Structure formats: structure tokens, C-alpha cells
């Protein structure tokens, strides 16, 4: 079968992962790219002198292609989504789909009307540890999961050259850029959507981010699951502390690192039993699996990580913002109605 022909939109930090995993996948190839930044275009041209590279998607959308990977900041994707829908290109968009929930809902509707798959790059779903945790809970090993604690405490120096810098000036950078992954992981692993939540967002006094770098939330899910969440990009300590514990009727499951380290125990067992996981290269193995899913989707397989599904995580994000402003609990249907209005 001929490889899936991809247009790479955006040639910044995240595009490096995509360039590598696409090059390593015989079922996909990059046939064109674009970025308004001349330096980014020059870097890409040096690596691939044969590649048509434009400043905007409108410059290259005439190249024969099957799909586009949007590795652009979430704000300002209107033209990119419109161009893909008009050209019949399937879309793999980096998370979050947009920086506004109503806009994201509009993109989902546009893609559905155009009849093209719109998939969101939720690579953490494809980590072996995520798949193993989900299976562990489904196996009944810890009984029925009823509550959890999700901690993500990271000192993220957003001024480092190898990282994107736009989050420094975003409203709610932690929520839009990072917690969105965590909300998606909770929904995926627990197999349920959020029903309501109460949140408080704030910025520590030393924060280098303009918008809030801290999020604390108590999240109630439709299946009765309740999770205490704490996320920060401005922790008082490096290295990162990741700790996701789930308590069930008969025991616990604990993930102690972002890319692995999974254990579980029945209630009366003192230590944790480790869950063996296959070798993994952070950021690469997960993106490679996500790409395989996208290629399969473009060839007719059932899609995963759809834009429509992603809206449920965006509702959680918007509910956190509203709840913090109101200092009150917010029900998810209220957000869904606002997004649809
Ligand atoms: N899934 C993950 O683990 C992960 C990790 C990092 C970043 N991301 C996501 O990837 C996306 C991009 O982040 P990044 O780190 O690469 O940011 P970045 O700022 O490093 O790069 C973005 C690039 O997009 C370009 N761009 C801006 N507008 C464009 C347009 N209209 N058309 C074409 N190119 C345009 C910019 O010039 C820049 O080169 C974001 O949505 C981010 O959240 C995801």
C-alpha cells in the first residue's frame, strides 16, 4: 500500500517528534510542510531540500496529500482547519484542539460536515503504562475503583530554547497545555466522563507564567469515581513528582512516573506488586503508536481520540476556569450547553 501522504503544518518543537516518527513509519511520509517563521522553514529545508515548504497552509495545500498534522499552537487554527476541510484532508491536530471550547466544537462540526476524520494527538493514551493501568482496573484486581489522587508537580522553565514559549503569555497555560492530557487520561483509564467539579486555579508568587500555573480540583465522574487533582508547572522542586493513585473496594493501583512505574496491591498487602512494562522511548514510542492509529483511521479503521471525544476533556478544562472564578462547583452539562450555543 502506498504510504499516507502528510502535510506537516508547524515546524517548531513538537514537529521534531513528528518528523522522526513519520520517517520511521513506512506507511507514512511527509510530502509538504509550512511555517510562517523563516528560521523554522530554513531548518526544515536543510534537513529535506526536496520538500515543498511554504509560509502558510494555503501555499502548499495544492500538493497531492491525504492528511495534515497540525503541530501549531492551539490558538489561530481556523485557516488550517478550513483549508483541510476544503481539500478533504484528514486531520491529526496536536492537543488541545483549540484554545476555546466553542471554537473546538465548531472545528468538530466542520470536520464532520466535510466527512474527514479529525483526530487529536493524545499520545499519553498510547504509553504502555496507560494501557496497563487501564487493563489492571478492568481486570478487577483492585475491585471497583471509587476514588483517586492525581499529582503532577513540575518545575517547567518555559524560557528554555528547546521548549515552546507561547505558554508563557497564555491564559491558564497549565490547564490548556498540560492538564488537558491528565483529564484525557482519567477519562480514558476510568472509562467515564466528568459530571461536575470544583476547582481553584492560581499562580505562585515566583511564577514565570502570566496565566495560572497551578490547578487544584475535585472531580466527580459520571460513574461515581472521585479524583483529587493537583497540577503545577511552577513546583518548588525539580525533578518532577508524578503520582497517580487509584483506590478500589479491594486494593490500590499506583503509577509513580509519567512514563512508567506501575504497581498495585490488595488492601492488606504491605508492598506494591510491580506491573512489568515493555521498553519505551519517552515521546517516541507513544507518538509512533498514535501515528499508526491515525494511518489506520485514514484507511477505514474505527477512529480513536476523535475531536468529538476530546470535547469532553475540554469541558472539564473550561469547568475548572469557571469554577475557580465562581468559587463554586460547576456541572459539565452547563459547559457543554455554553459551547454549543
Ligand atoms: N502531545 C504532546 O506531548 C505535546 C508536546 C509538546 C507540544 N504539543 C503541542 O504541539 C503544538 C505545537 O507546540 P510546539 O511545542 O511545537 O510549539 P512551538 O511554538 O515550538 O512551534 C509551533 C510552530 O508552529 C508555527 N506556526 C504558528 N502558526 C502557524 C500557522 N498558521 N501555520 C503553520 N505554522 C504555524 C510557529 O511558527 C512554530 O514554528 C501545541 O498544540 C502543543 O500543545 C504536544
Amino acid at each position: 500500500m502506498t504510504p499516507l501522504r502528510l502535510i506537516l503544518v508547524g515546524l517548531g518543537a513538537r514537529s521534531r517528534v513528528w518528523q522522526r516518527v513519520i520517517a520511521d513509519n513506512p506507511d507514512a511520509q511527509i510530502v509538504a510542510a509550512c511555517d510562517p517563521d523563516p528560521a523554522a522553514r530554513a531548518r526544515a529545508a536543510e534537513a529535506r531540500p526536496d520538500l515543498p515548504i511554504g509560509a502558510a497552509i494555503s501555499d502548499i495545500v495544492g500538493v497531492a496529500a491525504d492528511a495534515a498534522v497540525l503541530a501549531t499552537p492551539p490558538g489561530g487554527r481556523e485557516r488550517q482547519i478550513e483549508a483541510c476541510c476544503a481539500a478533504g484532508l484528514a486531520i491529526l491536530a496536536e492537543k488541545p484542539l483549540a484554545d476555546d471550547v466553542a471554537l473546538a466544537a465548531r472545528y468538530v462540526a466542520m470536520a464532520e460536515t466535510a466527512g474527514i476524520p479529525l483526530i487529536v494527538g493524545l499520545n499519553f493514551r498510547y504509553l504502555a503504562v496507560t494501557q496497563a493501568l487501564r487493563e489492571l482496573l478492568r481486570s478487577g484486581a483492585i475491585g471497583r475503583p471509587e476514588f483517586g489522587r492525581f499529582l503532577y508537580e513540575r518545575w517547567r522553565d518555559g524560557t528554555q530554547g528547546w521548549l515552546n514559549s507561547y505558554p508563557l503569555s497564555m491564559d491558564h497555560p497549565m490547564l490548556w497545555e498540560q492538564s488537558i492530557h491528565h483529564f484525557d487520561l482519567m477519562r480514558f483509564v476510568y472509562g467515564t466522563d466528568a459530571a461536575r467539579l470544583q476547582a481553584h486555579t492560581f499562580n505562585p508568587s515566583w511564577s514565570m507564567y502570566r496565566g495560572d500555573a497551578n490547578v487544584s480540583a475535585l472531580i466527580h465522574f459520571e460513574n461515581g469515581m472521585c479524583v483529587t487533582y493537583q497540577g503545577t508547572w511552577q513546583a518548588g522542586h525539580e525533578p518532577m513528582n508524578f503520582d497517580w493513585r487509584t483506590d478500589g473496594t479491594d486494593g490500590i493501583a499506583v503509577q509513580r512516573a509519567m512514563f512508567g512505574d506501575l504497581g498495585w496491591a490488595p488492601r492488606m498487602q504491605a508492598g506494591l506488586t510491580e506491573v512489568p512494562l515493555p521498553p519505551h522511548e519517552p515521546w517516541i514510542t507513544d507518538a509512533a503508536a498514535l501515528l499508526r492509529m491515525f494511518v489506520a483511521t485514514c484507511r477505514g479503521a474505527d477512529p480513536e481520540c476523535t475531536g468529538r471525544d476530546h470535547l469532553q476533556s475540554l469541558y472539564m478544562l473550561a469547568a475548572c476556569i469557571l469554577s475557580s472564578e465562581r468559587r463554586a462547583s460547576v456541572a459539565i452539562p452547563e459547559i457543554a450547553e455554553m459551547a454549543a450555543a
Side-chain angles (χ1 to χ4, degrees), residues 16-307:
R16 285 178 219 130
V17 167
W18 287 118
Q19 290 176 61
R20 174 159 163 208
V21 299
I22 294 166
D24 289 348
N25 185 330
D27 289 330
Q29 61 175 327
I30 298 175
V31 294
C34 67
D35 196 303
D37 176 7
R41 291 204 298 278
R43 270 196 311 273
E46 203 179 325
R48 285 280 309 270
D50 58 312
L51 200 67
I53 303 176
I57 193 166
S58 52
D59 298 338
I60 49 161
V61 84
V63 174
D66 306 301
V69 176
L70 307 186
T72 50
R77 287 186 177 154
E78 290 89 335
R79 294 258 165 75
Q80 300 159 45
I81 303 273
E82 281 164 11
C84 291
C85 288
L89 299 176
I91 300 170
L92 174 54
E94 267 301 343
K95 47 48 64 173
L97 178 55
D99 61 355
D100 176 275
V101 180
L103 190 56
R106 198 151 63 77
Y107 292 164
V108 169
M110 281 167 62
E112 286 174 352
T113 303
I116 55 163
L118 170 52
I119 305 298
V120 181
L122 296 158
N123 49 305
F124 284 92
R125 282 193 188 196
Y126 296 88
L127 289 171
V129 68
T130 307
Q131 303 278 335
L133 174 56
R134 190 173 190 238
E135 284 312 308
L136 182 68
L137 299 188
R138 288 181 171 200
S139 74
I142 69 161
R144 189 179 63 252
E146 288 197 7
F147 63 92
R149 160 172 58 70
F150 195 122
L151 283 183
Y152 177 95
E153 293 154 334
R154 173 184 178 192
W155 166 251
R156 183 188 190 271
D157 180 353
T159 63
Q160 292 176 92
W162 61 276
L163 284 173
N164 51 31
S165 56
Y166 66 86
L168 287 167
S169 55
M170 275 178 111
D171 287 338
H172 295 288
M174 180 66 202
L175 276 170
W176 289 107
E177 288 291 314
Q178 196 71 65
S179 305
I180 189 69
H181 276 305
H182 304 153
F183 295 166
D184 181 71
L185 282 173
M186 290 180 216
R187 293 181 45 244
F188 180 67
V189 164
Y190 296 140
T192 185
D193 288 328
R196 66 184 193 285
L197 59 79
Q198 181 137 15
H200 176 57
T201 74
F202 61 101
N203 229 353
S205 62
W206 59 83
S207 181
M208 67 174 67
Y209 293 90
R210 188 184 65 74
D212 289 349
N214 277 43
V215 181
S216 301
L218 186 60
I219 306 166
H220 298 271
F221 288 88
E222 286 173 350
N223 70 355
M225 186 76 196
C226 178
V227 177
T228 308
Y229 173 74
Q230 170 157 311
T232 180
W233 265 3
Q234 292 288 271
H237 191 223
E238 205 184 30
M240 185 207 292
N241 181 37
F242 182 104
D243 192 355
W244 182 7
R245 169 167 154 158
T246 304
D247 288 56
T249 48
D250 300 328
I252 60 167
V254 189
Q255 182 183 339
R256 289 159 302 191
M258 191 162 70
F259 290 104
D261 199 349
L262 180 64
W264 72 282
R267 179 174 290 108
M268 302 313 285
Q269 177 181 303
L272 291 177
T273 301
E274 297 298 320
V275 176
L277 298 171
H280 177 87
E281 184 178 359
W283 307 112
I284 299 300
T285 316
D286 42 309
L290 175 66
L291 177 64
R292 285 196 295 277
M293 179 276 290
F294 183 64
V295 172
T297 296
C298 292
R299 293 179 173 163
D302 285 344
E304 297 170 10
C305 305
T306 62

